[in-house]
Amino acid sequence: ADGAHVPVLVIGTGYGGSVAALRLAQAGVDVHMVEMGMAWDTPGPDGKIFCSTLAPDHRSYWLRTRTKQPLNYFLGFPIDRNISRYTGILDAEEFGGITVYQGRGVGGGSLVNGGMAVTPKREEFGTVLPSVNADEMYDTYYPRANAGLGVGAIDPAWFESAACYQYSRVGRKHAGRSGFPFGFVPNVYDWDYMERESAGTATKSALAGEILYGNNHGKKSLQRTYLAQAKATGRVTVSPLHQVTSVAPAGGGYTVVIDQLDTGGDTTTTKTVTADRVFFAAGSVGTSKLLVKLKATGVLPGLNDEVGKGWGDNGNVMCGRANHLWDPTGGLQSTIPCAGIDNWTAGGVFAEVAPLPVGIETFASFYLSITKNPNRAQFSWNAATGKVDLNWQAAWKQPSVTMAKTIFDKINAKEGTIYRTDLFGVYKIWGDHLTYHPLGGAVLNRATDNYGRLGGYPGLYVIDGSLIPGNTSVNPFVTITALAERNIEKIIATDL
Ligand code: FAD
């Protein structure tokens, strides 16, 4: 409520925020979480909380009047459609050179993501987080994160027979014939539930095209793991549809200004609360935007010059290949990817075999590649527009395309196949205008100390993907969670 005082305020309810809330509450601290998106706990008019990827409605996008689907063409035709403006679940946030997709709601990115829960190879960790002790991460914090998230593996025997993973088996066959290493990818989806979906004994979710705009069943989002545990302590409260706009020093603590939003995105009330400690967990983009604005406008002038720097796209690039008619990938495809090509060591690419769950046979193989793209962008305050800009350039995706081609040019040559040119436009091969994996902007041990403390402002912390310098070599949320586990343990032990 307006004027309230809380010991700890957490901005955002994604991975970093959920870890902080749970561990602080377990240590006996009362925590209030503020989330700009909706609660996503109430069914809509169709009886479902989330809408299907195949039929996006008002629930799909954050404050848009037209969808902005990552795969925006099919057979050369644009497939975006008009929707009513609503505080929907997926934000396609547009900067000059890139569209950054992010989850909006209680659970953050866990609501919309593919659930792929990948721990980086240990030999890569030094490039991912150079100032962090790898032994501690691999002995303690990665295992803790994997347990807390409920990470599991597909049953290999079931995989071989499941119709819904025909597309992955085709991907494996093609990778193998070109000599590329191929392996399973862990996930937070409940694999037993998926087997029941497949057998027809459970309501379908992954097998009904649900993913980008939420899964009604099967996926263990943060609402079902860390946040459920946090709420069960009785010490954690959450305010959905509340957006933090300012954090300013006040006495020994901080004054936090929060806009309450309606589902049309308009502010209905502005509230001010005070907090002894504030955790920035608004995601790489959300945290970076807040910190850059607060530094530039003189609210937190002592933040250091690394704030806003070191942002990367985790090298995301997508493409499709057109298979021969004797190589169908299946009309029924699980939305949950379970396998990929690991050519990171040799070529800087980890390519997940992704579904095209359109409900009909497409004879297409589709891939989301994570590449070792070295480009890094910077957020800066634009006083003229009153907004934060990001200086990523569209051309900076070229290294990612070049790396991805080392895999797919070879597979195409071997198989006698070609790229699909109809998925991202008319005669456009590469989905190189977007990222699902924003990382950096408040990099650990540069913008913050080695545990996420913001220097000069005791009680202010960063605890989300903005700490990670632009690339994790794999999908990022396990690393974001494990780093948050490491940092909050230190903060509880030494700062409280
Ligand atoms: P987030 O999870 O983004 O949480 C930040 C929260 O803060 C959000 O809920 C946001 O609404 C809220 N917020 C922002 N600003 C404010 C504010 N001013 N006031 C109040 N609240 C605010 N990663 C994987 O590892 N595996 C995958 O398979 C995978 N697939 C993905 C698929 C898609 C379509 C997308 C979009 C992402 C995917 N990701 C995946 C990425 C992963 O979801 C993110 O890396 C992760 O969610 C980031 O965690 P975070 O804690 O940094 O922030």
Side-chain angles (χ1 to χ4, degrees), residues 12 14-16 35-36 104-105 108-109 113-116 244 282-283 436 465 475-477:
Y15 294 91
E35 168 57 52
M36 67 192 272
R104 293 276 175 254
N113 67 33
M116 283 177 278
V244 172
Y436 287 172
N475 316 63
F477 75 61

Side-chain angles (χ1 to χ4, degrees), residues 51 53 111-115 209-215 219 335-336 357:
C51 67
T53 309
L111 296 165
V112 300
N113 67 33
E210 291 181 352
I211 185 71
L212 270 183
Y213 314 126
N215 280 82
K219 194 163 86 182
T335 55
I336 298 299

Side-chain angles (χ1 to χ4, degrees), residues 447-473:
T448 72
D449 78 352
N450 205 22
Y451 292 90
R453 302 181 184 96
L454 283 163
Y457 296 102
L460 290 192
Y461 306 90
V462 175
I463 192 155
D464 60 18
S466 52
L467 293 171
I468 296 176
N471 201 300
T472 54
S473 75

Side-chain angles (χ1 to χ4, degrees), residues 55 100 153 163 190 222 229 290 308 316 373 379 397 415 433 442 453:
V100 183
D190 180 338
L222 290 167
Q229 273 197 62
L290 274 172
N316 282 190
N373 189 320
F379 292 94
K397 284 282 192 180
E415 301 297 324
H433 56 294
R453 302 181 184 96

Side-chain angles (χ1 to χ4, degrees), residues 11-17 34-37 90 101-110 112-118 212 242-245 281-284 286 290 436-439 463-466 475-478 480:
I11 309 171
T13 57
Y15 294 91
V34 180
E35 168 57 52
M36 67 192 272
L90 186 62
Y101 284 87
Q102 298 152 86
R104 293 276 175 254
V106 176
S110 79
V112 300
N113 67 33
M116 283 177 278
V118 194
L212 270 183
H242 281 66
Q243 182 169 18
V244 172
T245 59
S284 161
L290 274 172
Y436 287 172
H437 299 165
L439 293 168
I463 192 155
D464 60 18
S466 52
N475 316 63
F477 75 61
V478 174
I480 294 170

Side-chain angles (χ1 to χ4, degrees), residues 125-147:
F125 187 77
T127 62
V128 176
L129 285 164
S131 65
V132 173
N133 181 322
D135 289 338
E136 289 178 5
M137 290 295 282
Y138 285 82
D139 293 347
T140 303
Y141 302 110
Y142 275 118
R144 189 176 293 172
N146 277 288

